[in-house]
Amino acid sequence: MTPPRFLECLAYLFWTRETLAEVLECDPALINAWATGREEIPAGLAAWLETLAKAHEAAGIPTTYRKARFSAER
């Protein structure tokens, strides 16, 4: 996985680099090293991110809730 694809996958998931560091419970500097190409992205992590990003892209975002408002009265 290339650094641009790595960042693209994070974007599909609406994750920041900091979010991924929290999810993986790792040093944010490691995420930045992967994102900038200073460190190679491990194959297993790349496959996991690809799977998540493709599933998220295919599922899309529900549109039925756009501009929906909460009403406490029932």
Side-chain angles (χ1 to χ4, degrees):
M1 171 178 278
T2 65
R5 179 61 183 156
F6 175 78
L7 294 172
E8 187 176 46
C9 286
L10 292 183
Y12 277 125
L13 298 168
F14 297 99
W15 286 359
T16 63
R17 295 178 195 187
E18 293 79 16
T19 302
L20 181 59
E22 289 175 13
V23 168
L24 297 178
E25 298 180 11
C26 70
D27 187 343
L30 180 57
I31 305 299
N32 288 329
W34 291 334
T36 60
R38 288 178 297 160
E39 289 286 330
E40 186 173 333
I41 300 161
L45 177 67
W48 178 70
L49 280 176
E50 285 286 355
T51 300
L52 291 176
K54 287 177 182 175
H56 194 270
E57 182 182 19
I61 298 172
T63 58
T64 56
Y65 303 101
R66 289 191 178 148
K67 300 184 183 185
R69 300 206 182 267
F70 176 73
S71 176
E73 298 176 15
R74 289 195 173 204

